[in-house]
Amino acid sequence: VLAIDSARENVEVHFNYICKAQDEFIKNYSQQQIQHEELLANFDRDMEKMRSIELHPGVATDLSSAVLAAELLSWQGLLQALRLSGWGTSAFRRLSGRPRAELS
């Protein structure tokens, strides 16, 4: 009887540990999901703000490639080069399963 009680207690301890770890994971995941959805929901607004900002000339001249330097004279050029708009829309749809416009 003592061996069975010891085994049962051992299982309960491990089960409680696993439950606690899962609860903590779910809590962190939920917080991150909310933060990511907020970032992606505001993505278009943030992109528009960035498009209006010109890069400092020193940034463009410090680039090793003259082709890139010509394309990166503004944030808009930088963003187009990195294709962030497509990434943002795709990430938002994968995360939420809904088009971005539905959450705005």
Side-chain angles (χ1 to χ4, degrees):
V1 175
L2 294 175
I4 291 174
D5 291 337
S6 178
R8 184 184 49 79
E9 187 175 318
N10 188 30
V11 168
E12 286 177 1
V13 167
H14 287 291
F15 179 78
N16 289 334
Y17 171 79
I18 291 169
C19 286
K20 183 178 177 182
Q22 181 185 12
D23 289 343
E24 189 67 27
F25 173 82
I26 296 296
K27 176 183 166 189
N28 290 335
Y29 172 81
S30 297
Q31 290 173 347
Q32 286 183 354
Q33 183 179 15
I34 289 168
Q35 291 172 346
H36 293 165
E37 284 182 352
E38 288 174 2
L39 285 172
L40 291 170
N42 296 320
F43 190 79
D44 289 331
R45 183 199 67 197
D46 295 342
M47 292 284 286
E48 287 304 315
K49 285 182 184 177
M50 290 180 71
R51 283 188 181 103
S52 68
I53 300 171
E54 289 190 26
L55 290 177
H56 187 278
V59 173
T61 57
D62 287 344
L63 295 173
S64 59
S65 168
V67 173
L68 280 179
E71 291 178 4
L72 300 178
L73 293 177
S74 70
W75 277 106
Q76 184 175 8
L78 175 63
L79 295 175
Q80 288 173 351
L82 297 176
R83 299 182 186 144
L84 287 178
S85 288
W87 172 85
T89 300
S90 173
F92 186 83
R93 285 185 181 148
R94 279 182 277 161
L95 179 65
S96 68
R98 301 180 303 255
R100 206 173 335 158
E102 289 180 12
L103 294 181
S104 299

